[in-house]
Amino acid sequence: MSSPANNSAAWYRLPADQVVAILESDTQQGLSSAQTAQRQDEYGPNQIHEGERTSLVTLVLRQFSDFMILVLMAAALISGFIGDLEDTVAILVILLLNGLIGAVQAYRAERAVAALRALDIPRVSVRRNGKNQFVTATDLVPGDIVSLEAGNLVGADMRLLEAVGLECDESSLTGESQAAHKTSEAIETPNLPPGDRDNMVFRGSHVTRGRGRGVVTATGMQTEIGQIATLLSAQKAVQTPLQIRMARFGRYLALSILVICTLVFITGLLQGQPILLMLLTAISLAVAAIPEALPAVITISLALGARRLSRHNSLVRNLPAVETLGSVTYICSDKTGTLTENRMSAETFVIAGESFTHLDQTAGRTHAVQLGRALALCNDVVENDHDLHGEPTELALYHAAESAGYHKQTLEQAFPRLAELPFDSTRKLMITLHRQTEGGIAYVKGAPENVLERCRDQLGEQGPYALDLDTLLTQADQLATQGFRVIAVAQRRFNELPESLTGCDQTLTLLGLVALIDPPRPEALAAVADCRSAGITPVMITGDHPGTAQAIASRLGIVEAPARVVAGRELDRLSDTELSHLVGTVRIYARVSPAQKIRIVQALQKQGEFVAMTGDGVNDAPALKQAGIGVAMGKKGTDVARQAADMVLLDDNFATIVKAVREGRRIFDNIRKFIKYTMTSNSGEIWTLFLAPFLGLPVPLLPIHILWINLVTDGLPGLAFTVEPEEPGTMQRPPRPPQESIFTHGMWQHILWVGLFIGGISIASQAWAIGQGHAYWQTVVFTVLTLSQLFHSLAVRSERQSLFRQGLWSNVALLGAVLLTVALQLAVIYVPALNPLFNTQPLPLFDLGVCFALSSLTLVVVECEKLLVRRGFLYNATGRQDQR
């Protein structure tokens, strides 16, 4: 027997009997027990294989490989070495917490392939040894003859041998919102994507109508879903911009600290200071210079952001994803169920040459009544326990009739159905015959080209009149090019009931045309506009028809029609280089496969773009994992998509992404403010220790002073930055380039000059108090340095907006942290038991006032800096709006 693996893409091109022969099966007898056993040994169970799973211990250890984390671990060891066990414990607890959180998130992400495996294990009706029997889908093998009927979940990929009105919902695999009509005829066209292989059914799809039989051509990893699983397991997670920036920051920081501490140590020795004191001072400075609160600030910021997003129906599975959205430059969105409602809706009715957007607009027009009746009666929708069941197109027609007052249950009592011919792919129409007071009436609906050629006239307000076939076909074509699925509806009256339906579809009277579409979500239009105003480019990537994709993209403002649509076949012909040049201009991709979605995302990433991918189907999962951030739909999304994603939209609302982008930008701004604050504070300490000896002054601070300042100023005030409200204009500036340094827009200049200013006023206070005793002047310097950093924390709450415009009460947490830190500093000065420990002494009230006055100058100079920034004289912050 030929290997199905070698023929999986060609089965649809072969006649059904030839496929059966190649697979050495029999349509009447099926496989024998011996054949089944042999093939089960050869191909294994019909399951999606899991890749080698990473242990939880390994995932935990990976969290500690980041350079910044290693630097902080070194700081913890140094703190323990100099006797500061509290700092050591604090750092290690923070790192352990971060590691566990990261490991849990990574472990959940690794379950994406496992979700594929558990996607479905249906029972199927299979022919073996000449008898029908039910087996679990995991027992299927290539060559099995399987029966299909409405409601079945397809257990393997099959070539259809028989299809009677058979339709399948393949949206989770292909992205096609409409049920696919199936046939058993061979298709000669090569290289068709799965969505166009009408004589195949695929594992994971649902039979929505009709019945059929098929021969299994692929099982397990050889199925279309299995190949997606292979793609998914091969994808590696992409580092977030925050992770990239923090790694770079950690490397530069470690090198800088090493150089500065060496200089301070050597300078002290040259001044004649004791070696042990300078060694402890250099080590203490190294500990102080490392912002060990940074991981806690980042974790808390992300956790609080995730909590805020959960209130807006967005579940964050991977904490860094919260911030990542702030860097997104492209959102590659699936169409079905993401930008659209994933349901068919009748939007246009053409009756006697007039167009209507709602059927109830035709009230009072007698000829339109017949169309409303036809839509209700020529319809197989069934209502059970107030739930409607039926094919999506028929549900749309049912709702259109129902909303206009044509109730199927009521009409069926007056016009009971006597017979029907279901829709099939050959005739492309459906017929129902009904009894009426005098004789009978047949209703027909189907493809316009098939129904119109059977019509002799059309119904108008004054009765039947001549039918203009060319005009009607042109109208149908125009609607189709706009992305609509067009249905023609006709009728035929009988004075006497016919004995059969043969010939009932001839000499018809046209009632009208109905145009259906999977409509855009009402909120999606505004969401797309918000994305564009935020500098984010929306792109539609779908498995649906190009015309439909263009119509929806045009209505949402993604493109202006006409626009270029790149289909899957064209993508196959493009090299990676050609695709890289193309992705910057194309906004719509249609009829694409899972592998092609990954190619598109990778091409954008090669162009330096940071890509978010949204989707809800199995076919979206690999691209969700490849993208910088994957966003899955929670309601209609598959488990596979949700497990592969970083974020899940619980309301399936594209507009929720805009709220997430806003939150991501706020979080990054606040992390940046904390880094700006803490690094400026550290800079002030370094300048103070570094410059004092050059000015002939003794070393200003003891190691205990440095560690205390580091503890109280980086602690509570730093954490309070996590709840800072967003700045005005957050969504009117472009995304941050992923490669952009965290120190851009004037941050490094601020760290240097404000740190130098803090160091200057600290040294000035030392010079002022130097003649009044060692403990006294050290207390003054110690206090000025601490208070300066607290005033600085208030000043850097915004990069541009004045504190007086913001108001002190807009961040109560930070105000409370500053007041508490001031109280702790005063306790160190005025509590007698603490004086020996910190080598301090109480200051007179006037001297304490001088310390406050000197320190407050930090707030004044930073406010002056922000004024110059608002006026455009400093730090040309591209894309940031003036916030006065």
Side-chain angles (χ1 to χ4, degrees):
M1 184 185 74
S2 298
S3 170
N6 296 331
N7 293 285
S8 59
W11 293 121
Y12 72 91
R13 301 184 63 190
L14 302 177
D17 55 354
Q18 188 176 346
V19 173
V20 174
I22 292 174
L23 293 169
E24 298 177 8
S25 187
D26 186 288
T27 57
Q28 299 301 317
Q29 297 296 315
L31 296 177
S32 66
S33 298
Q35 286 178 305
T36 302
Q38 185 268 328
R39 295 184 189 190
Q40 286 175 339
D41 289 339
E42 181 178 355
Y43 298 107
N46 178 26
Q47 294 177 336
I48 303 300
H49 299 160
E50 287 188 86
E52 185 177 345
R53 304 191 70 173
T54 307
S55 68
L56 187 59
V57 174
T58 303
L59 290 174
V60 171
L61 292 176
R62 284 180 183 174
Q63 307 307 310
F64 297 95
S65 60
D66 182 79
F67 188 80
M68 185 69 180
I69 299 299
L70 295 176
V71 171
L72 289 168
M73 291 176 70
L77 295 176
I78 293 172
S79 296
F81 174 75
I82 64 175
D84 187 13
L85 295 178
E86 291 84 358
D87 242 19
T88 299
V89 172
I91 295 173
L92 292 179
V93 167
I94 290 171
L95 294 182
L96 182 60
L97 179 62
N98 286 340
L100 289 175
I101 292 174
V104 169
Q105 298 293 343
Y107 180 73
R108 293 175 66 186
E110 290 298 322
R111 291 169 55 197
V113 177
L116 270 168
R117 186 180 184 185
L119 182 63
D120 51 27
I121 310 178
R123 288 181 62 80
V124 295
S125 175
V126 64
R127 188 82 172 172
R128 287 178 179 170
N129 298 312
K131 296 179 181 179
N132 291 331
Q133 53 185 283
F134 284 92
V135 301
T136 61
T138 54
D139 292 331
L140 289 177
V141 294
D144 265 329
I145 307 298
V146 178
S147 297
L148 300 167
E149 60 182 29
N152 285 168
L153 185 65
V154 179
D157 290 1
M158 304 178 202
R159 169 67 165 87
L160 290 172
L161 308 176
E162 178 184 342
V164 181
L166 187 66
E167 295 183 1
C168 287
D169 178 3
E170 299 175 344
S171 59
S172 65
L173 180 67
T174 66
E176 181 79 60
S177 55
Q178 299 173 188
H181 301 292
K182 295 299 180 179
T183 179
S184 60
E185 301 300 321
I187 304 172
E188 296 183 1
T189 309
N191 302 320
L192 285 180
D196 291 333
R197 300 177 197 170
D198 294 335
N199 56 14
M200 301 282 295
V201 291
F202 303 100
R203 176 179 175 141
S205 59
H206 288 81
V207 179
T208 59
R209 172 190 273 180
R211 60 182 176 82
R213 284 197 309 156
V215 58
V216 175
T217 56
T219 59
M221 300 302 288
Q222 297 302 322
T223 61
E224 291 294 326
I225 283 182
Q227 293 175 39
I228 293 174
T230 302
L231 287 172
L232 185 58
S233 61
Q235 300 307 309
K236 295 183 178 179
V238 178
Q239 272 198 315
T240 69
L242 185 62
Q243 291 169 327
I244 294 171
R245 291 184 178 104
M246 288 300 100
R248 188 187 306 132
F249 172 61
R251 289 193 296 270
Y252 292 155
L253 180 63
L255 181 62
S256 302
I257 289 172
L258 181 62
V259 172
I260 291 170
C261 291
T262 302
L263 287 175
V264 169
F265 178 71
I266 293 174
T267 303
L269 292 182
L270 293 175
Q271 198 182 32
Q273 299 290 343
I275 293 179
L276 182 58
L277 174 64
M278 291 314 302
L279 178 62
L280 290 175
T281 300
I283 293 175
S284 299
L285 186 60
V287 173
I290 291 180
E292 64 266 20
L294 181 57
V297 169
I298 292 174
T299 300
I300 293 173
S301 294
L302 297 178
L304 291 177
R307 183 179 177 185
R308 285 164 63 104
L309 287 176
S310 68
R311 297 171 186 162
H312 296 290
N313 296 307
S314 183
L315 175 65
V316 177
R317 298 185 59 255
N318 181 19
L319 280 182
V322 181
E323 180 277 332
T324 302
L325 276 166
S327 288
V328 166
T329 57
Y330 271 72
I331 296 181
C332 295
S333 175
D334 184 38
K335 178 186 72 67
T336 306
T338 308
L339 293 168
T340 66
E341 298 181 6
N342 197 21
R343 65 172 183 85
M344 298 302 292
S345 174
E347 291 199 358
T348 301
F349 304 86
V350 180
I351 307 172
E354 292 186 76
S355 293
F356 305 90
T357 55
H358 296 90
L359 196 56
D360 54 11
Q361 293 175 340
T362 65
R365 298 173 184 247
T366 55
H367 63 299
V369 172
Q370 298 300 323
L371 177 61
R373 286 180 184 172
L375 296 182
L377 292 170
C378 190
N379 197 307
D380 286 335
V381 169
V382 177
E383 183 175 355
N384 291 326
D385 298 326
H386 304 292
D387 288 331
L388 296 176
H389 303 276
E391 191 268 336
T393 297
E394 294 211 324
L395 283 169
L397 298 176
Y398 176 93
H399 285 302
E402 186 82 9
S403 63
Y406 301 98
H407 306 294
K408 181 180 180 182
Q409 290 78 7
T410 303
L411 288 171
E412 282 183 333
Q413 294 176 9
F415 304 92
R417 183 186 293 193
L418 303 177
E420 73 274 337
L421 278 179
F423 184 96
D424 69 46
S425 56
T426 302
R427 292 193 321 274
K428 293 188 177 180
L429 50 82
M430 173 186 180
I431 310 171
T432 59
L433 178 64
H434 302 264
R435 186 193 304 276
Q436 60 179 5
T437 306
E438 296 179 2
I441 185 169
Y443 291 116
V444 179
K445 75 171 190 284
E449 61 273 17
N450 291 58
V451 174
L452 290 174
E453 68 180 12
R454 291 170 165 81
C455 293
R456 65 179 179 184
D457 53 27
Q458 62 180 325
L459 190 63
E461 195 154 6
Q462 306 303 320
Y465 67 97
L467 177 142
D468 187 340
L469 181 61
D470 291 339
T471 299
L472 287 165
L473 287 173
T474 300
Q475 283 182 298
D477 288 341
Q478 288 174 344
L479 289 169
T481 57
Q482 295 173 33
F484 289 102
R485 181 183 183 187
V486 185
I487 302 293
V489 185
Q491 70 179 23
R492 180 178 176 183
R493 294 182 178 274
F494 300 92
N495 293 327
E496 295 182 2
L497 286 172
E499 295 181 358
S500 71
L501 289 177
T502 303
C504 287
D505 58 351
Q506 302 298 322
T507 61
L508 302 172
T509 297
L510 179 69
L511 300 178
L513 302 176
V514 184
L516 304 103
I517 198 168
D518 179 10
R521 290 179 172 272
E523 65 281 353
L525 179 63
V528 169
D530 286 343
C531 284
R532 295 175 74 97
S533 71
I536 301 169
T537 303
V539 174
M540 179 187 290
I541 304 180
T542 179
D544 215 335
H545 189 276
T548 305
Q550 186 179 75
I552 297 297
S554 178
R555 291 170 65 170
L556 288 173
I558 293 175
V559 296
E560 294 182 4
R564 182 175 182 184
V565 181
V566 175
R569 292 189 194 179
E570 183 178 352
L571 277 175
D572 279 338
R573 295 193 296 267
L574 294 174
S575 67
D576 289 343
T577 302
E578 291 171 330
L579 180 58
S580 294
H581 293 147
L582 186 70
V583 289
T585 57
V586 175
R587 301 292 178 263
I588 310 173
Y589 300 87
R591 283 287 192 249
V592 295
S593 67
Q596 290 168 338
K597 289 185 179 185
I598 296 173
R599 283 191 69 202
I600 295 167
V601 172
Q602 289 175 334
L604 286 168
Q605 289 171 335
K606 288 179 181 177
Q607 295 299 310
E609 306 293 348
F610 200 82
V611 184
M613 174 72 188
T614 72
D616 60 356
V618 175
N619 59 326
D620 297 320
L624 289 175
K625 193 172 181 183
Q626 171 64 38
I629 176 170
V631 183
M633 302 298 122
K635 283 186 177 179
K636 297 179 182 176
T638 61
D639 285 342
V640 182
R642 289 192 288 266
Q643 291 292 340
D646 301 291
M647 180 180 293
V648 179
L649 303 184
L650 301 178
D651 58 357
D652 288 9
N653 191 338
F654 184 82
T656 305
I657 298 175
V658 178
K659 297 175 183 175
V661 169
R662 183 186 299 275
E663 183 65 18
R665 292 187 175 191
R666 184 192 72 85
I667 287 171
F668 180 77
D669 284 347
N670 290 346
I671 292 172
R672 193 171 183 274
K673 289 171 189 175
F674 172 75
I675 293 175
K676 185 177 187 179
Y677 160 67
T678 190
M679 293 307 298
T680 304
S681 299
N682 295 347
S683 173
E685 295 166 27
I686 291 170
W687 283 119
T688 301
L689 288 167
F690 183 69
L691 293 178
F694 286 101
L695 297 175
L697 297 171
V699 175
L701 301 170
L702 296 174
I704 188 65
H705 297 150
I706 298 172
L707 295 174
W708 171 257
I709 293 173
N710 190 50
L711 177 65
V712 297
T713 60
D714 277 6
L716 292 176
L719 295 177
F721 277 108
T722 61
V723 295
E724 184 68 35
E726 72 173 72
E727 294 208 41
T730 297
M731 293 299 288
Q732 279 70 54
R733 67 185 193 224
R736 302 182 309 276
Q739 296 80 18
E740 180 182 272
S741 168
I742 203 167
F743 294 100
T744 56
H745 307 300
M747 184 192 279
W748 68 267
Q749 296 98 321
H750 177 96
I751 291 171
L752 283 179
W753 86 261
V754 177
L756 182 59
F757 180 83
I758 291 174
I761 60 176
S762 299
I763 293 173
S765 68
Q766 180 184 9
W768 170 69
I770 195 72
Q772 302 186 45
H774 192 274
Y776 177 85
W777 64 256
Q778 277 197 331
T779 303
V780 169
V781 178
F782 180 32
T783 303
V784 168
L785 195 53
T786 301
L787 295 178
S788 296
Q789 295 182 17
L790 295 179
F791 278 111
H792 182 247
S793 71
L794 296 174
V796 295
R797 285 182 50 204
S798 173
E799 294 190 26
R800 305 170 64 88
Q801 197 173 37
S802 168
L803 173 64
F804 306 104
R805 184 174 179 83
Q806 285 180 293
L808 287 172
W809 297 101
S810 56
N811 188 342
V812 177
L814 181 58
L815 180 61
V818 169
L819 294 176
L820 177 60
T821 304
V822 170
L824 291 173
Q825 181 66 22
L826 293 178
V828 167
I829 298 172
Y830 293 104
V831 174
L834 297 178
N835 291 152
L837 179 63
F838 288 92
N839 194 35
T840 55
Q841 73 178 55
L843 298 175
L845 188 59
F846 176 81
D847 293 1
L848 180 64
V850 171
C851 292
F852 270 95
L854 279 174
S855 302
S856 67
L857 293 176
T858 305
L859 174 61
V860 175
V861 297
V862 175
E863 284 296 327
C864 291
E865 177 195 46
K866 289 193 287 186
L867 176 63
L868 293 174
V869 170
R870 291 196 297 272
R871 297 293 171 83
F873 297 116
L874 281 179
Y875 317 142
N876 182 20
T878 304
R880 295 175 181 266
Q881 290 198 345
D882 189 2
Q883 308 300 333
R884 299 189 185 189

